Amino acid sequence: MALTSDELVAISDLTKAVIADTGIVPDWVLPAEVRGSAAPINGIPYPQQTIDVFGGLLAGAWSLNFQNPLQRVVCDLEIFHGENSPVNAAPDLSALQLTVTGFDKAVIFCPAKTANDTAPANFFGLTVSGVTPVYKLGGKRRFLEQSGLVVIPLTLILLSTRALTSQETSRALSITLKRKNESQMTIAPVISGMVYSNPLPSARDIAQAS
């Protein structure tokens, strides 16, 4: 039986969610326009994806406070040494430090070099702290930029699988990538990219990170 006009409810009539602290990503939100109201969201349970810019110069950083810390975070980054690239040197990221907090699983995807290649023990020497990553084949290959200099893509998936404890009201998840010694400029890469976060990682995500 078709719905009649008196059975339909306008989105603008639904109860709106309230965020008391704009620095915290709420548990469930749906971005929507509400006519005649300045409220940015409706209280409809629906998973959201946030997209953030990461870096743009000598360091990259991302951090959000979550009421629901069960998150899948995907980093699609590029490391470009520019004019500070060592001449005729193999890709080496040992001068960089990747630090994460709030995550308990991580996967870094590495490009294969031969037809019978196996996953390497690290990603071009990149130091990772805060979590022990799993390295898997399937990452993007490094490529030449228009200037003829090499760009190294870094694809990273991070999982936060621990719910809030009774003592927590929110939890900060963060990622930083920068030089270990910030005073050295001999190797000073330009770090940029995007970070995508989705709530509620599934069993499929956890299996991939194992």
Side-chain angles (χ1 to χ4, degrees), residues 86-114:
V87 179
N88 297 326
D92 181 7
L93 303 183
S94 60
L96 298 180
Q97 171 88 39
L98 175 66
T99 304
V100 303
T101 58
F103 297 97
D104 49 285
K105 294 182 181 294
V107 184
I108 295 179
F109 294 95
C110 310
K113 299 181 292 296
T114 66

Side-chain angles (χ1 to χ4, degrees), residues 25-27 48-50 62 64 66-74 102-105 157-162 171 173 196-202 205:
V25 179
D27 199 349
Q48 75 170 32
Q49 173 174 302
T50 57
W62 173 88
L64 282 176
F66 289 93
Q67 287 179 347
N68 173 18
L70 302 178
Q71 297 288 323
R72 174 206 304 116
V73 176
V74 179
F103 297 97
D104 49 285
K105 294 182 181 294
I157 294 179
L158 295 161
L159 296 182
S160 173
T161 63
R162 296 189 299 268
R171 183 183 301 156
L173 305 180
Y196 308 89
S197 55
N198 282 88
L200 303 177
S202 66
D205 296 308

Side-chain angles (χ1 to χ4, degrees), residues 126-141:
L126 176 67
T127 301
V128 183
S129 65
V131 70
T132 301
V134 174
Y135 296 93
K136 294 193 172 184
L137 295 177
K140 297 178 182 177
R141 303 183 180 283

Side-chain angles (χ1 to χ4, degrees), residues 53-62 77 97-99 175-179 189-193 195:
V53 177
F54 188 90
L57 201 58
L58 296 180
W62 173 88
L77 311 178
Q97 171 88 39
L98 175 66
T99 304
I175 308 164
T176 60
L177 179 60
K178 61 183 181 179
R179 288 160 293 150
V190 176
I191 297 166
S192 62
V195 179

